[in-house]
Amino acid sequence: MSNCALYFILNLVFILLSYNYAVCEDAKPAGNKRYLLYDCNPGEGFNLRRDVYMRVANLVKSLRESKSCKGDDWVLVLPPWGRISYHWKEHGMEQSLIPWSMFFNVKSMSGFVPVIEYEDYIEEVGEAVIDELWYLQNYAEGWSSGTWEEKMHERDCIENPVYETDSEGKIRGWFWGYEETYAKTFKCVSVQGMSKLFVKPLCGGNTTAKSVMLDRGENMLHDMFGGKRYWDCRRSMVFADALIKTADQFRSKYLDSDDVRDKTVMPENWKDHKCTEDAIGGPYIAAHVRRKDFLYARKEFVPSIKQVAKVLSEKMKEYKVDKVFIASDGTKEEMKELKSLLPGMFMYKPTKTEKSEFKMGGVAIIDQIICSHARFFMGTKESTFSFRIQEEREIMCFPKHTTFNRICSDEGSDDCEQPAKWKIVWKSDSEIWD
Ligand SMILES: Nc1nc2c(ncn2[C@@H]2O[C@H](COP(=O)(O)OP(=O)(O)OP(=O)(O)O)[C@@H](O)[C@H]2O)c(=O)[nH]1
Ligand SMILES: *[C@@H]1O[C@H](CO)[C@@H](O)[C@H](O)[C@H]1NC(C)=O
């Protein structure tokens, strides 16, 4: 073989190796492929579901690292979006069967743990079937011992499960609107604890099934809430390109904002990102003004429209800007009133095409992206929609005092406590995994 050919082959090997490294850094040598699926209580909103994803993704990470799992190649199957809380349900199937790639960059997410869309799962296993369905619930007796202990057992179902067995013995129910999907077996599992508690049962302790679905996934708690893993996973949840692009166009057209001047340039790969200097943000402030159910469910903390306008005008002066971006689920009338009191107010209003292309989740994310690039942000107390914006700003290196703020109610009942300052963690805290 000539030197030249050898050189060529070596180069090829090198390219293949580095490609493999870049794309599937997380992959293990081909092991026994197993799939973890999950879903949440149908009442859980879009932004809480994003948090439940992180708990499950961390479980998959633990499964892949666990010695007791002996090289099982666990993959997380992304539950299609749809029928989420009453906000989306009003719109029926038009807001269902939505793949994650509509909202997120699935390739970036795969840099944390391997994930696939549900339709790809069906294709890989050849049939819309799930081997085992575990329906997570609490313990009927509550915390009987009085002290917190982590535990997990198969138990009788506390509520009547929403699944039924058909004449062929197939478990039927709501599988994200995929009517042909069924599960082979079903059981209720009482759980009190964090996602790591699931490692042994899933790694042969209770099952060796190829696919297991955990329904009511919100019953699983975070391992290392706020630790490095938490933030790595959160950082991997990069938004879909089309949403970022639309938000960026809006920022540039109406708010004089771009990443270079705002110091919010993010690298292609989230793993390469570090905070070397503070972000500045565009020359506007932003607020998430949550209304609707919060008007009665969180009455004592929700400011009036007049109060919102008053506080934001003051902040605009303080930050020497004449523009304020508002994200809100408020009514047209409420927003009209706000605009009349705040002439420098901007809102993102999707065109008809954008509305049908991006769906409600995409429009919400565009609002969140624009809020997260503002020089100063104020959220709504206890809204997970606001929390996700705060995290985004933490990731982009905004100084904390520009992020963890909220508009207090004008009523005396509000203690006016400001949001907890969640600090992003970049370095590994001594995390010990089995
Ligand atoms: N586009 C947009 N949608 C919003 C905004 N605020 C709330 N929403 C919508 O209302 C929903 C919020 O209510 P839920 O779905 O019950 O719950 P959530 O998403 O977990 O968020 P919170 O209820 O705020 O904690 C979001 O999913 C959005 O679809 C906003 O500022 N902009
Ligand atoms: C796992 O098996 C043990 C022993 O049979 C049982 O007590 C426990 O309830 C099972 N757990 C699950 C999640 O099935």
Side-chain angles (χ1 to χ4, degrees), residues 362-416:
V363 170
I365 286 173
I366 290 170
D367 268 345
Q368 290 177 322
I369 297 174
I370 303 170
C371 282
S372 66
H373 284 82
R375 195 146 298 170
F376 177 81
F377 171 72
M378 301 187 97
T380 296
K381 186 181 167 98
E382 286 171 11
S383 162
T384 53
F385 189 105
S386 292
F387 293 163
R388 298 293 90 85
I389 295 170
Q390 292 166 352
E391 290 160 2
E392 214 60 37
R393 293 176 63 88
E394 268 296 279
I395 292 170
M396 283 190 287
C397 318
F398 276 94
K400 289 186 199 342
H401 69 272
T402 70
T403 293
F404 296 96
N405 308 286
R406 71 171 176 104
I407 305 173
C408 301
S409 161
D410 24 3
E411 308 290 334
S413 50
D414 191 343
D415 57 12
C416 215

Short mmCIF file of all heavy atoms in Angstrom, two decimals, residues 362-416:
data_model
loop_
_atom_site.label_atom_id
_atom_site.label_comp_id
_atom_site.label_asym_id
_atom_site.label_seq_id
_atom_site.Cartn_x
_atom_site.Cartn_y
_atom_site.Cartn_z
N GLY A 362 -44.86 26.82 20.71
CA GLY A 362 -43.84 27.59 20.01
C GLY A 362 -44.00 29.08 20.23
O GLY A 362 -43.02 29.80 20.43
N VAL A 363 -45.24 29.53 20.22
CA VAL A 363 -45.51 30.95 20.46
C VAL A 363 -45.09 31.31 21.88
O VAL A 363 -44.47 32.36 22.12
CB VAL A 363 -47.01 31.26 20.20
CG1 VAL A 363 -47.36 32.67 20.67
CG2 VAL A 363 -47.34 31.08 18.73
N ALA A 364 -45.38 30.43 22.83
CA ALA A 364 -44.97 30.67 24.23
C ALA A 364 -43.44 30.75 24.31
O ALA A 364 -42.89 31.62 24.99
CB ALA A 364 -45.50 29.55 25.13
N ILE A 365 -42.76 29.87 23.59
CA ILE A 365 -41.29 29.87 23.63
C ILE A 365 -40.73 31.15 23.02
O ILE A 365 -39.77 31.74 23.54
CB ILE A 365 -40.72 28.61 22.94
CG1 ILE A 365 -40.93 27.39 23.83
CG2 ILE A 365 -39.23 28.78 22.61
CD1 ILE A 365 -40.56 26.07 23.21
N ILE A 366 -41.33 31.63 21.94
CA ILE A 366 -40.87 32.88 21.33
C ILE A 366 -41.01 34.03 22.34
O ILE A 366 -40.10 34.84 22.52
CB ILE A 366 -41.62 33.16 20.00
CG1 ILE A 366 -41.18 32.14 18.95
CG2 ILE A 366 -41.37 34.59 19.51
CD1 ILE A 366 -42.00 32.13 17.68
N ASP A 367 -42.14 34.07 23.03
CA ASP A 367 -42.31 35.07 24.11
C ASP A 367 -41.19 34.92 25.14
O ASP A 367 -40.62 35.90 25.61
CB ASP A 367 -43.66 34.85 24.81
CG ASP A 367 -44.78 35.69 24.19
OD1 ASP A 367 -44.48 36.62 23.42
OD2 ASP A 367 -45.96 35.40 24.50
N GLN A 368 -40.88 33.69 25.48
CA GLN A 368 -39.85 33.44 26.50
C GLN A 368 -38.46 33.86 26.02
O GLN A 368 -37.69 34.44 26.77
CB GLN A 368 -39.85 31.96 26.92
CG GLN A 368 -41.09 31.59 27.72
CD GLN A 368 -41.16 30.12 28.08
OE1 GLN A 368 -40.80 29.25 27.30
NE2 GLN A 368 -41.65 29.83 29.28
N ILE A 369 -38.18 33.60 24.76
CA ILE A 369 -36.86 33.98 24.23
C ILE A 369 -36.71 35.51 24.26
O ILE A 369 -35.68 36.03 24.68
CB ILE A 369 -36.66 33.47 22.78
CG1 ILE A 369 -36.69 31.93 22.73
CG2 ILE A 369 -35.34 33.98 22.20
CD1 ILE A 369 -36.64 31.36 21.32
N ILE A 370 -37.76 36.20 23.84
CA ILE A 370 -37.67 37.67 23.80
C ILE A 370 -37.53 38.22 25.23
O ILE A 370 -36.70 39.09 25.49
CB ILE A 370 -38.87 38.29 23.05
CG1 ILE A 370 -38.96 37.71 21.62
CG2 ILE A 370 -38.74 39.81 22.99
CD1 ILE A 370 -40.24 38.07 20.87
N CYS A 371 -38.30 37.69 26.16
CA CYS A 371 -38.16 38.12 27.57
C CYS A 371 -36.75 37.85 28.10
O CYS A 371 -36.20 38.65 28.85
CB CYS A 371 -39.14 37.36 28.47
SG CYS A 371 -40.83 37.95 28.40
N SER A 372 -36.20 36.71 27.70
CA SER A 372 -34.93 36.31 28.30
C SER A 372 -33.77 37.16 27.78
O SER A 372 -32.71 37.17 28.40
CB SER A 372 -34.66 34.82 28.06
OG SER A 372 -34.47 34.56 26.70
N HIS A 373 -33.96 37.90 26.68
CA HIS A 373 -32.88 38.74 26.16
C HIS A 373 -32.98 40.19 26.60
O HIS A 373 -32.20 41.03 26.15
CB HIS A 373 -32.84 38.68 24.63
CG HIS A 373 -32.25 37.41 24.09
ND1 HIS A 373 -32.96 36.25 23.95
CD2 HIS A 373 -30.99 37.13 23.67
CE1 HIS A 373 -32.19 35.31 23.47
NE2 HIS A 373 -30.98 35.80 23.29
N ALA A 374 -33.93 40.50 27.47
CA ALA A 374 -34.11 41.90 27.90
C ALA A 374 -33.05 42.32 28.91
O ALA A 374 -32.47 41.48 29.60
CB ALA A 374 -35.50 42.06 28.51
N ARG A 375 -32.83 43.61 28.98
CA ARG A 375 -31.84 44.13 29.94
C ARG A 375 -32.26 43.85 31.38
O ARG A 375 -31.42 43.64 32.25
CB ARG A 375 -31.70 45.64 29.72
CG ARG A 375 -30.47 46.23 30.37
CD ARG A 375 -29.88 47.35 29.58
NE ARG A 375 -29.43 46.92 28.26
CZ ARG A 375 -29.06 47.75 27.29
NH1 ARG A 375 -29.09 49.06 27.50
NH2 ARG A 375 -28.67 47.28 26.13
N PHE A 376 -33.56 43.82 31.59
CA PHE A 376 -34.09 43.62 32.93
C PHE A 376 -35.41 42.88 32.79
O PHE A 376 -36.19 43.16 31.87
CB PHE A 376 -34.29 45.00 33.58
CG PHE A 376 -34.91 44.97 34.95
CD1 PHE A 376 -34.14 44.68 36.08
CD2 PHE A 376 -36.27 45.23 35.12
CE1 PHE A 376 -34.72 44.66 37.34
CE2 PHE A 376 -36.85 45.21 36.38
CZ PHE A 376 -36.06 44.93 37.50
N PHE A 377 -35.65 41.92 33.67
CA PHE A 377 -36.86 41.10 33.55
C PHE A 377 -37.63 41.03 34.87
O PHE A 377 -37.05 40.92 35.94
CB PHE A 377 -36.50 39.67 33.09
CG PHE A 377 -37.66 38.72 33.14
CD1 PHE A 377 -38.70 38.82 32.22
CD2 PHE A 377 -37.74 37.74 34.13
CE1 PHE A 377 -39.80 37.97 32.28
CE2 PHE A 377 -38.84 36.88 34.19
CZ PHE A 377 -39.86 37.00 33.27
N MET A 378 -38.96 41.08 34.76
CA MET A 378 -39.82 40.86 35.93
C MET A 378 -40.84 39.77 35.60
O MET A 378 -41.47 39.81 34.55
CB MET A 378 -40.56 42.15 36.31
CG MET A 378 -39.64 43.30 36.65
SD MET A 378 -40.52 44.75 37.29
CE MET A 378 -40.31 44.49 39.05
N GLY A 379 -40.98 38.80 36.49
CA GLY A 379 -41.88 37.68 36.24
C GLY A 379 -43.10 37.71 37.13
O GLY A 379 -43.37 38.70 37.81
N THR A 380 -43.82 36.59 37.09
CA THR A 380 -45.01 36.43 37.94
C THR A 380 -44.70 35.38 38.99
O THR A 380 -44.12 34.33 38.67
CB THR A 380 -46.22 35.97 37.09
OG1 THR A 380 -46.52 36.99 36.15
CG2 THR A 380 -47.43 35.68 37.96
N LYS A 381 -45.07 35.65 40.24
CA LYS A 381 -44.78 34.73 41.33
C LYS A 381 -45.38 33.35 41.06
O LYS A 381 -46.53 33.23 40.65
CB LYS A 381 -45.37 35.29 42.63
CG LYS A 381 -45.00 34.49 43.87
CD LYS A 381 -45.63 35.11 45.11
CE LYS A 381 -45.56 34.19 46.30
NZ LYS A 381 -44.46 34.47 47.21
N GLU A 382 -44.58 32.32 41.27
CA GLU A 382 -45.01 30.92 41.18
C GLU A 382 -45.43 30.47 39.80
O GLU A 382 -46.09 29.44 39.65
CB GLU A 382 -46.12 30.62 42.19
CG GLU A 382 -45.59 30.55 43.60
CD GLU A 382 -46.68 30.48 44.67
OE1 GLU A 382 -47.85 30.28 44.32
OE2 GLU A 382 -46.33 30.61 45.85
N SER A 383 -45.08 31.20 38.76
CA SER A 383 -45.40 30.74 37.41
C SER A 383 -44.21 29.99 36.84
O SER A 383 -43.09 30.53 36.77
CB SER A 383 -45.73 31.93 36.51
OG SER A 383 -45.63 31.53 35.15
N THR A 384 -44.43 28.75 36.42
CA THR A 384 -43.32 27.99 35.83
C THR A 384 -42.92 28.60 34.48
O THR A 384 -41.79 28.45 34.05
CB THR A 384 -43.68 26.50 35.63
OG1 THR A 384 -44.90 26.40 34.91
CG2 THR A 384 -43.83 25.78 36.95
N PHE A 385 -43.84 29.31 33.85
CA PHE A 385 -43.51 30.03 32.61
C PHE A 385 -42.41 31.06 32.91
O PHE A 385 -41.43 31.18 32.17
CB PHE A 385 -44.78 30.73 32.09
CG PHE A 385 -44.66 31.35 30.72
CD1 PHE A 385 -45.25 30.75 29.62
CD2 PHE A 385 -43.98 32.54 30.53
CE1 PHE A 385 -45.15 31.32 28.36
CE2 PHE A 385 -43.88 33.13 29.27
CZ PHE A 385 -44.47 32.51 28.18
N SER A 386 -42.56 31.78 34.02
CA SER A 386 -41.53 32.76 34.43
C SER A 386 -40.23 32.06 34.84
O SER A 386 -39.14 32.53 34.53
CB SER A 386 -42.02 33.61 35.61
OG SER A 386 -43.08 34.45 35.24
N PHE A 387 -40.35 30.93 35.54
CA PHE A 387 -39.13 30.20 35.98
C PHE A 387 -38.26 29.83 34.78
O PHE A 387 -37.03 29.93 34.83
CB PHE A 387 -39.49 28.90 36.71
CG PHE A 387 -40.18 29.08 38.03
CD1 PHE A 387 -40.87 28.02 38.62
CD2 PHE A 387 -40.14 30.29 38.70
CE1 PHE A 387 -41.52 28.17 39.83
CE2 PHE A 387 -40.79 30.45 39.93
CZ PHE A 387 -41.48 29.38 40.49
N ARG A 388 -38.91 29.36 33.70
CA ARG A 388 -38.12 28.93 32.54
C ARG A 388 -37.37 30.12 31.93
O ARG A 388 -36.27 29.97 31.43
CB ARG A 388 -39.01 28.28 31.48
CG ARG A 388 -39.77 26.98 31.91
CD ARG A 388 -38.84 25.81 32.19
NE ARG A 388 -38.42 25.76 33.58
CZ ARG A 388 -39.10 25.20 34.56
NH1 ARG A 388 -40.23 24.58 34.32
NH2 ARG A 388 -38.63 25.21 35.80
N ILE A 389 -37.97 31.30 31.99
CA ILE A 389 -37.28 32.51 31.49
C ILE A 389 -36.08 32.82 32.39
O ILE A 389 -34.98 33.13 31.91
CB ILE A 389 -38.24 33.72 31.45
CG1 ILE A 389 -39.37 33.48 30.45
CG2 ILE A 389 -37.48 35.01 31.11
CD1 ILE A 389 -40.50 34.50 30.51
N GLN A 390 -36.28 32.71 33.68
CA GLN A 390 -35.18 33.00 34.62
C GLN A 390 -34.00 32.06 34.37
O GLN A 390 -32.85 32.48 34.36
CB GLN A 390 -35.68 32.87 36.06
CG GLN A 390 -36.67 33.95 36.43
CD GLN A 390 -37.42 33.66 37.72
OE1 GLN A 390 -37.33 32.57 38.29
NE2 GLN A 390 -38.19 34.63 38.19
N GLU A 391 -34.31 30.78 34.14
CA GLU A 391 -33.23 29.82 33.86
C GLU A 391 -32.48 30.19 32.59
O GLU A 391 -31.25 30.13 32.53
CB GLU A 391 -33.81 28.41 33.71
CG GLU A 391 -34.33 27.81 35.00
CD GLU A 391 -35.31 26.67 34.76
OE1 GLU A 391 -35.57 26.32 33.59
OE2 GLU A 391 -35.84 26.14 35.76
N GLU A 392 -33.25 30.58 31.57
CA GLU A 392 -32.64 30.95 30.30
C GLU A 392 -31.65 32.11 30.50
O GLU A 392 -30.57 32.13 29.94
CB GLU A 392 -33.76 31.35 29.33
CG GLU A 392 -33.55 31.02 27.89
CD GLU A 392 -33.35 29.54 27.62
OE1 GLU A 392 -33.99 28.69 28.27
OE2 GLU A 392 -32.52 29.24 26.77
N ARG A 393 -32.04 33.05 31.33
CA ARG A 393 -31.18 34.22 31.61
C ARG A 393 -29.95 33.81 32.43
O ARG A 393 -28.86 34.34 32.22
CB ARG A 393 -31.97 35.31 32.32
CG ARG A 393 -33.05 35.94 31.44
CD ARG A 393 -33.90 36.95 32.20
NE ARG A 393 -33.12 38.09 32.68
CZ ARG A 393 -32.89 39.19 31.97
NH1 ARG A 393 -33.37 39.31 30.74
NH2 ARG A 393 -32.18 40.18 32.49
N GLU A 394 -30.13 32.88 33.34
CA GLU A 394 -28.99 32.36 34.10
C GLU A 394 -27.97 31.74 33.14
O GLU A 394 -26.76 31.96 33.24
CB GLU A 394 -29.44 31.28 35.09
CG GLU A 394 -29.79 31.76 36.47
CD GLU A 394 -28.62 32.36 37.19
OE1 GLU A 394 -27.79 31.61 37.75
OE2 GLU A 394 -28.52 33.61 37.19
N ILE A 395 -28.49 30.95 32.20
CA ILE A 395 -27.62 30.27 31.24
C ILE A 395 -26.87 31.29 30.39
O ILE A 395 -25.70 31.12 30.09
CB ILE A 395 -28.46 29.31 30.35
CG1 ILE A 395 -28.99 28.15 31.19
CG2 ILE A 395 -27.64 28.80 29.16
CD1 ILE A 395 -30.01 27.28 30.49
N MET A 396 -27.55 32.40 30.05
CA MET A 396 -26.91 33.40 29.19
C MET A 396 -26.03 34.38 29.96
O MET A 396 -25.53 35.34 29.38
CB MET A 396 -27.97 34.16 28.40
CG MET A 396 -28.51 33.35 27.24
SD MET A 396 -29.54 34.32 26.14
CE MET A 396 -30.99 34.53 27.13
N CYS A 397 -25.85 34.16 31.27
CA CYS A 397 -24.92 34.95 32.08
C CYS A 397 -25.40 36.37 32.39
O CYS A 397 -24.60 37.31 32.46
CB CYS A 397 -23.53 35.03 31.42
SG CYS A 397 -22.96 33.48 30.71
N PHE A 398 -26.69 36.54 32.60
CA PHE A 398 -27.19 37.84 33.05
C PHE A 398 -26.92 37.99 34.55
O PHE A 398 -27.02 37.02 35.30
CB PHE A 398 -28.70 37.95 32.82
CG PHE A 398 -29.06 38.38 31.43
CD1 PHE A 398 -29.33 37.45 30.44
CD2 PHE A 398 -29.12 39.73 31.11
CE1 PHE A 398 -29.65 37.84 29.16
CE2 PHE A 398 -29.44 40.14 29.82
CZ PHE A 398 -29.70 39.20 28.84
N PRO A 399 -26.59 39.20 35.00
CA PRO A 399 -26.43 39.42 36.44
C PRO A 399 -27.77 39.14 37.14
O PRO A 399 -28.82 39.48 36.60
CB PRO A 399 -26.08 40.91 36.55
CG PRO A 399 -25.73 41.36 35.18
CD PRO A 399 -26.36 40.42 34.21
N LYS A 400 -27.69 38.49 38.30
CA LYS A 400 -28.92 38.00 38.94
C LYS A 400 -29.94 39.09 39.25
O LYS A 400 -31.14 38.85 39.18
CB LYS A 400 -28.56 37.25 40.21
CG LYS A 400 -27.90 35.95 39.87
CD LYS A 400 -27.66 35.11 41.07
CE LYS A 400 -26.62 34.05 40.76
NZ LYS A 400 -26.38 33.77 39.35
N HIS A 401 -29.46 40.27 39.59
CA HIS A 401 -30.44 41.30 39.98
C HIS A 401 -31.28 41.76 38.79
O HIS A 401 -32.30 42.40 38.97
CB HIS A 401 -29.73 42.49 40.64
CG HIS A 401 -28.88 43.29 39.68
ND1 HIS A 401 -27.56 42.98 39.43
CD2 HIS A 401 -29.17 44.35 38.91
CE1 HIS A 401 -27.08 43.84 38.54
NE2 HIS A 401 -28.04 44.68 38.22
N THR A 402 -30.89 41.39 37.57
CA THR A 402 -31.70 41.76 36.40
C THR A 402 -32.72 40.67 36.06
O THR A 402 -33.50 40.82 35.14
CB THR A 402 -30.83 42.00 35.15
OG1 THR A 402 -30.29 40.75 34.70
CG2 THR A 402 -29.69 42.97 35.43
N THR A 403 -32.69 39.56 36.81
CA THR A 403 -33.48 38.39 36.45
C THR A 403 -34.55 38.01 37.48
O THR A 403 -35.68 37.73 37.13
CB THR A 403 -32.55 37.18 36.24
OG1 THR A 403 -31.74 37.42 35.09
CG2 THR A 403 -33.34 35.89 36.03
N PHE A 404 -34.13 38.00 38.75
CA PHE A 404 -35.03 37.44 39.77
C PHE A 404 -35.87 38.54 40.41
O PHE A 404 -35.61 38.94 41.55
CB PHE A 404 -34.22 36.65 40.79
CG PHE A 404 -33.55 35.45 40.17
CD1 PHE A 404 -32.23 35.52 39.75
CD2 PHE A 404 -34.25 34.27 39.96
CE1 PHE A 404 -31.61 34.43 39.15
CE2 PHE A 404 -33.63 33.18 39.36
CZ PHE A 404 -32.31 33.25 38.95
N ASN A 405 -36.83 39.01 39.64
CA ASN A 405 -37.71 40.08 40.10
C ASN A 405 -39.13 39.76 39.74
O ASN A 405 -39.39 39.05 38.78
CB ASN A 405 -37.33 41.39 39.38
CG ASN A 405 -35.86 41.70 39.50
OD1 ASN A 405 -35.40 42.09 40.55
ND2 ASN A 405 -35.13 41.49 38.41
N ARG A 406 -40.04 40.31 40.50
CA ARG A 406 -41.44 40.20 40.11
C ARG A 406 -42.17 41.49 40.47
O ARG A 406 -41.69 42.27 41.30
CB ARG A 406 -42.11 39.01 40.78
CG ARG A 406 -42.34 39.20 42.28
CD ARG A 406 -43.20 38.06 42.81
NE ARG A 406 -43.36 38.15 44.26
CZ ARG A 406 -44.48 38.58 44.84
NH1 ARG A 406 -45.50 39.01 44.13
NH2 ARG A 406 -44.57 38.61 46.16
N ILE A 407 -43.32 41.69 39.82
CA ILE A 407 -44.13 42.87 40.10
C ILE A 407 -45.07 42.51 41.24
O ILE A 407 -45.83 41.53 41.15
CB ILE A 407 -44.94 43.29 38.85
CG1 ILE A 407 -43.99 43.50 37.66
CG2 ILE A 407 -45.75 44.55 39.14
CD1 ILE A 407 -44.70 43.74 36.35
N CYS A 408 -45.00 43.25 42.32
CA CYS A 408 -45.84 42.93 43.47
C CYS A 408 -47.25 43.42 43.24
O CYS A 408 -47.49 44.34 42.45
CB CYS A 408 -45.28 43.57 44.73
SG CYS A 408 -43.61 43.03 45.06
N SER A 409 -48.17 42.82 43.95
CA SER A 409 -49.55 43.23 43.87
C SER A 409 -49.72 44.58 44.55
O SER A 409 -48.97 44.94 45.45
CB SER A 409 -50.42 42.18 44.55
OG SER A 409 -51.66 42.73 44.88
N ASP A 410 -50.75 45.34 44.13
CA ASP A 410 -51.02 46.62 44.79
C ASP A 410 -51.82 46.42 46.07
O ASP A 410 -52.03 47.35 46.82
CB ASP A 410 -51.71 47.61 43.84
CG ASP A 410 -52.47 46.93 42.71
OD1 ASP A 410 -52.52 45.69 42.66
OD2 ASP A 410 -53.01 47.65 41.86
N GLU A 411 -52.27 45.19 46.32
CA GLU A 411 -53.01 44.90 47.54
C GLU A 411 -52.03 44.68 48.70
O GLU A 411 -50.92 44.22 48.49
CB GLU A 411 -53.84 43.62 47.37
CG GLU A 411 -54.73 43.59 46.15
CD GLU A 411 -55.91 44.54 46.26
OE1 GLU A 411 -56.31 44.85 47.40
OE2 GLU A 411 -56.40 44.99 45.21
N GLY A 412 -52.48 44.97 49.90
CA GLY A 412 -51.64 44.81 51.09
C GLY A 412 -51.32 43.36 51.41
O GLY A 412 -50.41 43.06 52.18
N SER A 413 -52.07 42.43 50.79
CA SER A 413 -51.92 41.01 51.13
C SER A 413 -50.62 40.42 50.58
O SER A 413 -50.25 39.30 50.93
CB SER A 413 -53.10 40.24 50.55
OG SER A 413 -53.26 40.58 49.18
N ASP A 414 -49.92 41.14 49.73
CA ASP A 414 -48.71 40.60 49.10
C ASP A 414 -47.50 40.94 49.97
O ASP A 414 -47.24 42.10 50.27
CB ASP A 414 -48.56 41.24 47.70
CG ASP A 414 -47.48 40.56 46.88
OD1 ASP A 414 -46.64 39.84 47.46
OD2 ASP A 414 -47.47 40.77 45.65
N ASP A 415 -46.75 39.91 50.33
CA ASP A 415 -45.54 40.14 51.15
C ASP A 415 -44.41 40.70 50.29
O ASP A 415 -43.39 41.13 50.79
CB ASP A 415 -45.09 38.84 51.82
CG ASP A 415 -44.83 37.73 50.79
OD1 ASP A 415 -44.78 38.02 49.58
OD2 ASP A 415 -44.69 36.58 51.22
N CYS A 416 -44.59 40.67 48.99
CA CYS A 416 -43.65 41.25 48.05
C CYS A 416 -42.29 40.56 48.06
O CYS A 416 -41.28 41.13 47.67
CB CYS A 416 -43.48 42.74 48.31
SG CYS A 416 -43.22 43.65 46.80
#
